[in-house]
Amino acid sequence: MTSIRVGNAAGFWGDNLDAPRLLCESGQLDYLTLEYLAELTLSILAHLKSRDHNAGFVSDFPTVVESLVPQLRAQPNLKIVTNAGGMHPSACAAAVSGILQKSGMNDVRVAAVAGDDLLPQLDTYLDAGEPFQNLETGEALDQIRPQIASANAYLGAAGIVEALRQEARIVITGRVADASLTVGPAVHEFGWDWADWNSLAAATVAGHLIECGAQATGGMFSDWDRHGAPLALANVGYPIAEISDGGDVVITKPSGTEGEVTVATVAEQLVYEIGDPAHYLTPDVDADFSQVTLKQIGEDRVAVAGAQGGPAPENFKVSLAYRDGYMATGSLVICGRGAIAKARACGQIILDRVARAGVHLQRTNIETLGGGDSVPGGWPDRPEPWEVVLRVTAHDPSKPHLERFLREFAPLVTAGPPGVTGYTGPRPKPYPVMAYWPTLIAQTRVTPQVEVRAAGDWTR
């Protein structure tokens, strides 16, 4: 192939369930990518897997595959690449294969790409000299070793390329870098060398631009209501990257959909979560975004050029999560004159009554939403609101301490300032906290594990 169309229809776990089907119906895709994972998502999946060994993958994905069965039949060249495998790619592959089997598609080849899960061999890596120091604080891992719940390396595109080489039509990975979901198909189709840094950088830019779904087509666009005409987003089109063998990239979306693809929308996504624009580090390449140019070449068509690349970093980034006690949050609506002052007083009353009961919470936070607390320093020149949402949050190693804390919200209805409401519904419950520990591991110590089977064989 001299060019491919790669569309992305999920920017996180919880994105629009209809988007994959709609994009496949109208996008004329060669590849559909679905990017579900974030550090928080991995923590959630680790918790789910600790309760059920057969869980730990993105449960939305089998539902998505079921909706895509007609398109998989109608478009025999359409392939899907996703990191929906989360903490358990093989279990996800089996779940998806069960759906394909029921649909009479037993011969569809499904791949599970693993190897990112470092937890089973974590002590072996430590003994071999991997320090796993916290990248932000420099702390040593031994401080939290007994509490670790998951440790996943951000793999690159190599496992995806191998799965496609083995004729997988659906590739399900664990934690891979977001842009690698797009780099993999490009390397496979064009036969790029792993040292062709500029081509890898071009595909990485393309993958980065579409990885967050509709953010590149008008979602979160800072100028969405320009000229008093809000940008229509109810039927927003999800992005498509047209990538050529020579590394040319065009970002577009299906015709007839809402949102827009302009230099402005693409530029905002280009600088989203990249750190140093001259060194966007991925497992595949050190990409230089600083010379990238954007040009409007048609309606909803933006050409992207100028990406350059260098050798990939020697280390994989590792997302490590550890158990860090419990958290609880309660909220009330406070209305009437002086709503902000009353809300802050209510929050302090809750904490004072908890302390009176002999409970000393490790960390607490009082917020008045609507009173400026969602923005550091508050909103400028805002009028005094007549209603705000009081939100009080506490963190503590003791779950019973937090249960006691949550009992102090309802009494404010008759034992607090006037104007307390919004108290109906069940009492909130404490939930376990998975804290984040960013770190590194040498690439040479981690190898993707690729297993490809026909759908009918995954369920046996």
Side-chain angles (χ1 to χ4, degrees):
M1 299 177 72
T2 58
S3 67
I4 55 173
R5 285 170 62 90
V6 182
N8 183 61
F12 60 97
W13 184 12
D15 209 342
N16 192 307
L17 273 176
D18 293 327
R21 174 182 59 81
L22 294 172
L23 186 56
C24 287
E25 286 175 350
S26 59
Q28 298 175 308
L29 303 180
D30 298 298
Y31 288 87
L32 171 71
T33 64
L34 301 166
E35 201 290 293
Y36 288 113
L37 300 184
E39 290 77 15
L40 174 61
T41 315
L42 282 172
S43 297
I44 293 170
L45 293 174
H47 178 65
L48 293 175
K49 189 177 179 183
S50 71
R51 298 167 59 184
D52 178 1
H53 181 69
N54 292 318
F57 59 87
V58 175
S59 56
D60 283 359
F61 183 56
T63 303
V64 167
V65 170
E66 188 170 19
S67 74
L68 290 176
V69 165
Q71 294 308 314
L72 289 170
R73 284 202 180 102
Q75 302 177 50
N77 294 322
L78 174 66
K79 298 180 178 67
I80 301 172
V81 180
T82 178
N83 56 15
M87 300 296 296
H88 208 334
S90 60
C92 187
V96 166
S97 295
I99 290 169
L100 295 172
Q101 224 177 349
K102 291 178 183 177
S103 303
M105 304 183 74
N106 292 17
D107 294 335
V108 171
R109 292 177 66 78
V110 179
V113 179
D116 60 297
D117 186 359
L118 309 180
L119 189 60
Q121 295 181 301
L122 194 62
D123 289 326
T124 301
Y125 293 129
L126 286 165
D127 292 341
E130 291 292 338
F132 294 112
Q133 284 182 312
N134 189 302
L135 287 176
E136 297 176 351
T137 67
E139 294 174 279
L141 191 69
D142 56 10
Q143 297 186 40
I144 60 160
R145 179 63 187 93
Q147 300 150 254
I148 295 175
S150 65
N152 293 80
Y154 284 66
L155 301 185
I160 296 170
V161 174
E162 175 59 23
L164 294 172
R165 187 192 68 80
Q166 295 186 40
E167 300 182 345
R169 193 171 176 197
I170 299 177
V171 181
I172 301 169
T173 76
R175 200 18 164 160
V176 301
D178 300 349
S180 297
L181 298 177
T182 299
V183 174
V187 171
H188 170 69
E189 295 292 349
F190 304 140
W192 289 340
D193 188 275
W194 286 111
D196 186 351
W197 306 122
N198 288 346
S199 293
L200 295 177
T204 296
V205 171
H208 172 71
L209 287 173
I210 68 174
E211 72 191 27
C212 292
Q215 279 185 208
T217 56
M220 286 184 63
F221 183 38
S222 59
D223 201 19
W224 81 282
D225 59 347
R226 64 194 180 285
H227 313 305
L231 183 63
L233 295 173
N235 184 35
V236 64
Y238 277 63
I240 299 168
E242 298 175 354
I243 308 171
S244 78
D245 191 354
D248 296 323
V249 174
V250 173
I251 303 300
T252 186
K253 68 179 183 69
S255 61
T257 58
E258 294 177 337
E260 65 182 30
V261 178
T262 63
V263 168
T265 62
V266 173
E268 287 195 3
Q269 177 59 30
L270 181 67
V271 298
Y272 180 76
E273 292 186 341
I274 63 169
D276 183 352
H279 295 282
Y280 182 68
L281 302 177
T282 81
D284 305 309
V285 65
D286 179 352
D288 182 357
F289 286 15
S290 65
Q291 304 303 312
V292 169
T293 62
L294 306 176
K295 182 179 180 181
Q296 196 81 40
I297 59 172
E299 184 178 2
D300 294 320
R301 293 181 63 80
V302 172
V304 184
Q308 298 178 345
E314 295 180 355
N315 298 309
F316 285 132
K317 181 181 176 182
V318 176
S319 177
L320 190 148
Y322 63 97
R323 300 176 185 88
D324 189 26
Y326 296 86
M327 187 175 289
T329 298
S331 62
L332 293 167
V333 175
I334 313 297
C335 60
R337 193 185 308 277
I340 295 176
K342 284 193 293 187
R344 296 195 191 284
C346 285
Q348 193 58 52
I349 289 169
I350 289 171
L351 299 182
D352 289 346
R353 289 175 178 171
V354 172
R356 184 185 65 186
V359 173
H360 302 284
L361 300 168
Q362 188 177 77
R363 295 199 305 271
T364 60
N365 189 39
I366 299 172
E367 299 169 281
T368 56
L369 306 180
D373 283 359
S374 64
V375 174
W379 296 102
D381 303 322
R382 57 177 172 78
E384 181 74 13
W386 281 70
E387 64 179 17
V388 296
V389 175
L390 166 67
R391 182 166 67 188
V392 187
T393 303
H395 175 273
D396 199 80
S398 169
K399 187 175 181 181
H401 282 184
L402 294 177
E403 290 170 341
R404 184 67 177 80
F405 157 73
L406 291 170
R407 289 179 177 272
E408 292 299 341
F409 284 78
L412 284 171
V413 175
T414 55
V420 177
T421 185
Y423 50 83
T424 57
R427 181 187 299 144
K429 297 180 180 180
Y431 54 91
V433 172
M434 292 286 190
Y436 179 52
W437 183 281
T439 187
L440 301 171
I441 188 172
Q443 284 214 30
T444 54
R445 298 195 190 278
V446 184
T447 303
Q449 299 164 8
V450 181
E451 185 174 6
V452 182
R453 304 185 203 169
D457 294 331
W458 272 106
T459 56
R460 290 177 185 170

